[in-house]
Amino acid sequence: MKKRRVINILISIAAVFIVLFTAEIIMRFAWEMGGWVKRPIYRKSHNAYLRYELIPNAKSERISINSDGFRGPEYPVPKPAKTLRIIMLGDSETFSFMLKQEESLASQLEKILNERSESLHYEVLNFGVEGYNTFQELEQLKHKGLKYSPDLIILNYCLNDPEPGEYYFDKNFFVRHSALARYFSYRIKKSMIKAERKRLNLRTEVDHYYYLHQPKYFSRVENAISEIADIASVRGIKLILVIFPTSSTEVKDFKESYPYRPIHKLIKNIQNKNIVFVDLIEEFNHLSMGPREASINYEYNESHKNPPALGVSANFIFNTLKSNKLIPD
């Protein structure tokens, strides 16, 4: 009797294992987590934290992806002599899908640096991916960026970077390695956030951005940014955190009526000595460049910055690097 009970228990355990194993296999191939950009230049990533990534050597109109899966020309992994290399992390503002390669922030900054350098060659690698949040940008740095031996890391921060909250994954073995665990984590968190947003009656962009920057969400972003800064510190280099102001139709100017000043202040209050902050709103105001002048298409509520605004941004970043002695005179 006792032997039969043991056998039944073992059979039950085996059956549960087979069901879970089968479900895991099905989820790996059949389930695709939402929230990623659907363009021919993207594919599902084997890295659970990235979720999706650029396809190496993909081309689409003005976009060319290199063999390592990021926008721009080929770069040798061993850094050439007399070269100062900068890694630029970000989302669609950095990737600049609507712009030519030479109009992107990374390319404009690289051009300025090389035009004003006599002894060094500068490379600014564009690791921007549309729709990435800060957590994916951190993973992108670990997964791909660090092997290029950067001398500086630039993280471009947009005010939607804490989203989407339902994709926050705890750093544990099961979530990182199990599609089934990620599925249940995703479903539970998505339903909780949906219920919370409905309860709070969030309607406007302003409501949305302040919701994203409440402590329970922003604290995770703050930790991710600090982790990037600490990674840089271990290598003896700095993290430059560039804050992009929002230039949607809800924003009339970047001065007194700009609704997100407290959020900019919150970001600049991140306590890490290895971060140099660059708030682009300062330079836009200095040059009397408002949301309409900075946006690629303000009338259509397109918040992405146009080439002249990115040129202003590149020049401001250059001057910040120079004033902080992060590049040679």
Side-chain angles (χ1 to χ4, degrees):
M1 188 74 178
K2 185 177 180 180
K3 185 177 179 180
R4 177 169 291 183
R5 185 179 300 169
V6 171
I7 291 173
N8 288 338
I9 291 173
L10 291 175
I11 291 173
S12 298
I13 292 173
V16 169
F17 176 81
I18 291 170
V19 168
L20 291 175
F21 180 78
T22 303
E24 177 69 24
I25 297 299
I26 292 172
M27 295 306 294
R28 283 176 181 263
F29 288 96
W31 179 61
E32 187 178 273
M33 186 183 297
W36 61 287
V37 179
K38 301 292 185 180
R39 296 193 199 276
I41 57 174
Y42 291 102
R43 69 183 181 187
K44 184 177 180 180
S45 176
H46 293 296
N47 185 309
Y49 275 47
L50 289 178
R51 297 203 315 277
Y52 64 97
E53 61 190 8
L54 290 157
I55 300 173
N57 299 314
K59 294 186 183 299
S60 177
E61 298 179 0
R62 64 186 73 84
I63 305 297
S64 293
I65 308 303
N66 64 25
S67 62
D68 201 24
F70 60 94
R71 187 177 187 186
E74 298 291 331
Y75 294 93
V77 172
K79 186 169 56 182
K82 296 185 178 180
T83 297
L84 196 149
R85 183 171 276 174
I86 300 172
I87 294 291
M88 183 174 284
L89 305 167
D91 58 11
S92 54
E93 285 278 23
T94 304
F95 184 76
S96 298
F97 181 84
M98 300 174 70
L99 305 180
K100 299 175 183 177
Q101 169 67 23
E102 62 269 21
E103 295 174 328
S104 69
L105 177 59
S107 292
Q108 293 203 55
L109 177 60
E110 182 179 272
K111 182 180 179 182
I112 291 171
L113 287 163
N114 282 314
E115 285 177 346
R116 304 183 191 185
S117 174
E118 295 181 359
S119 58
L120 284 175
H121 175 68
Y122 287 86
E123 296 176 344
V124 183
L125 281 60
N126 184 350
F127 278 96
V129 178
E130 295 174 280
Y132 268 19
N133 58 33
T134 308
F135 310 100
Q136 291 163 296
E137 290 155 7
L138 167 60
E139 193 71 16
Q140 176 86 317
L141 176 66
K142 295 177 181 177
H143 178 67
K144 193 172 291 184
L146 291 176
K147 69 183 179 185
Y148 287 93
S149 304
D151 298 290
L152 283 170
I153 299 172
I154 295 177
L155 174 64
N156 294 330
Y157 187 95
C158 297
L159 300 193
N160 63 350
D161 277 1
E163 98 174 320
E166 62 264 29
Y167 303 131
Y168 290 152
F169 288 144
D170 296 323
K171 291 186 177 180
N172 63 57
F173 177 86
F174 292 105
V175 168
R176 181 173 277 273
H177 296 283
S178 169
L180 194 61
R182 288 194 296 275
Y183 173 79
F184 284 111
S185 173
Y186 165 77
R187 289 299 179 191
I188 291 169
K189 290 179 179 179
K190 184 173 183 178
S191 62
M192 290 174 63
I193 289 173
K194 185 177 180 180
E196 182 182 50
R197 292 178 65 87
K198 184 177 181 180
R199 176 175 56 82
L200 294 173
N201 194 30
L202 304 181
R203 295 183 179 276
T204 68
E205 178 190 87
V206 176
D207 293 339
H208 176 62
Y209 284 168
Y210 275 93
Y211 169 80
L212 293 178
H213 287 85
Q214 60 182 303
K216 70 176 180 179
Y217 293 145
F218 184 71
S219 62
R220 288 175 175 258
V221 178
E222 184 176 5
N223 290 338
I225 292 172
S226 290
E227 187 173 345
I228 296 174
D230 292 341
I231 289 171
S233 179
V234 168
R235 287 159 176 77
I237 61 178
K238 287 284 187 180
L239 170 63
I240 315 302
L241 181 56
V242 180
I243 306 170
F244 273 71
T246 296
S247 51
S248 65
T249 51
E250 292 203 25
V251 178
K252 305 309 176 187
D253 61 54
F254 292 138
K255 298 179 180 179
E256 290 74 17
S257 68
Y258 181 67
Y260 305 118
R261 282 191 175 277
I263 294 179
H264 284 234
K265 184 178 179 181
L266 176 69
I267 298 162
K268 289 185 286 188
N269 280 338
I270 294 175
Q271 299 300 306
N272 191 300
K273 293 181 180 179
N274 201 45
I275 300 176
V276 175
F277 295 95
V278 178
D279 193 345
L280 295 179
I281 199 172
E282 298 173 10
E283 187 69 356
F284 288 162
N285 279 331
H286 175 70
L287 299 175
S288 299
M289 178 177 278
R292 186 178 296 275
E293 293 76 26
S295 170
I296 201 167
N297 198 329
Y298 183 76
E299 284 73 17
Y300 281 86
N301 200 29
E302 178 54 73
S303 185
H304 293 91
K305 306 302 176 286
N306 57 33
L310 293 178
V312 165
S313 304
N315 197 62
F316 190 46
I317 293 169
F318 167 80
N319 288 328
T320 302
L321 298 181
K322 189 174 179 181
S323 63
N324 283 272
K325 300 186 184 302
L326 297 176
I327 54 175
D329 289 334

